[in-house]
Amino acid sequence: MDSQLHYLPLTPGLFSILVLLVAGLIILIQLRILRYAYMRLGVGPGAALLLLVGSLVGSYFNVPITILPGQTVKTGEIVDFFGMQYVVPMVARYPGTVLAVNIGGAVIPTLMSIYLVLRYQLWARAAIAVIVIALIIHASATPVRGVGIAVPVFVPVVITAILAFILSREYAAPLAYIGGSMGTLIGADLTNLGHISGLGAPVASIGGAGTFDGIFLTGILAVLLAGIASPARPRPSW
């Protein structure tokens, strides 16, 4: 069963687009064209590359938590939602829906968000960003049969960039990452756990198919949007 839990959350074609996007960012970072944007996030170019590549590679791996009772659907299908194609994993026989946590879409963003909150002491503003984005994402989240909970891919990015500017111009970059990633996880996946068992998905991955693309693009696009316009690199509060 463990081997069937690991799969790409998107079709190979769409996942390849994300890989090419990261490759382009790596080139720009190495040329120091985008270096200052990631420095404003509070990490160096090497850590930024590790964060991006780790998120992509980690999206393949899911850690099972529990099994939810429910009727499974046909496996090995492709489900279209707002122009994105999500993969329903190929499974043999499951007693219900396996609830799992995605490494690249949940674990890595959560650890990075905790680091940024502690580094810049953004407790209040980060909480506001996460709550506001979670509420908006929850309203736009859609249960998709066979996949789980899905969110239109660019909704987290646009909302995150705007809200980060409003809350703090100086700390817009870290707030964009924290609010976008954690707000999407909470608003889309965690607040909709009660709907998952009735969707017939063989695997429901928190931060996986349905939300990974939004979280990943938030991590690279919203941070860049916020970081480019920030007046200076954020200063640690201590």
Side-chain angles (χ1 to χ4, degrees):
M1 185 178 74
D2 288 342
S3 62
Q4 297 170 335
L5 283 173
H6 308 310
Y7 60 96
L8 291 179
L10 303 173
T11 57
L14 292 176
F15 191 81
S16 298
I17 294 176
L18 296 183
V19 173
L20 291 175
L21 181 60
V22 170
L25 289 175
I26 290 176
I27 294 174
L28 294 178
I29 291 174
Q30 292 301 318
L31 293 176
R32 298 192 176 185
I33 295 176
L34 293 180
R35 173 177 176 143
Y36 63 95
Y38 282 98
M39 293 296 286
R40 285 173 182 151
L41 178 59
V43 298
L49 297 181
L50 182 62
L51 179 65
L52 293 175
V53 175
S55 295
L56 269 182
V57 175
S59 69
Y60 180 81
F61 298 98
N62 296 290
V63 179
I65 300 175
T66 186
I67 297 179
L68 304 175
Q71 180 182 2
T72 59
V73 297
K74 295 179 180 179
T75 64
E77 295 182 349
I78 304 297
V79 177
D80 291 305
F81 179 77
F82 270 86
M84 301 299 291
Q85 295 181 323
Y86 299 109
V87 176
V88 179
M90 180 70 68
V91 298
R93 183 181 301 172
Y94 273 23
T97 297
V98 176
L99 182 63
V101 175
N102 187 266
I103 299 297
V107 176
I108 292 178
T110 298
L111 294 177
M112 184 62 184
S113 296
I114 293 174
Y115 163 76
L116 293 175
V117 170
L118 294 175
R119 177 180 175 87
Y120 297 118
Q121 293 293 286
L122 297 171
W123 300 98
R125 281 175 285 190
I128 293 173
V130 171
I131 291 173
V132 172
I133 294 174
L135 290 174
I136 297 175
I137 294 298
H138 181 76
S140 63
T142 303
V144 178
R145 185 164 180 80
V147 173
I149 308 300
V151 177
V153 61
F154 289 110
V155 171
V157 178
V158 175
I159 295 173
T160 296
I162 295 175
L163 184 59
F165 282 129
I166 294 175
L167 289 175
S168 173
R169 187 174 178 83
E170 180 180 5
Y171 294 98
L175 285 172
Y177 189 93
I178 297 167
S181 57
M182 301 311 298
T184 301
L185 280 175
I186 295 173
D189 288 334
L190 297 184
T191 58
N192 285 291
L193 289 179
H195 300 289
I196 291 178
S197 60
L199 296 178
V203 179
S205 179
I206 298 174
T211 56
F212 170 76
D213 47 4
I215 293 172
F216 183 77
L217 290 178
T218 294
I220 57 177
L221 296 182
V223 168
L224 289 177
L225 288 174
I228 288 173
S230 296
R233 181 180 176 182
R235 301 180 302 275
S237 297
W238 58 59

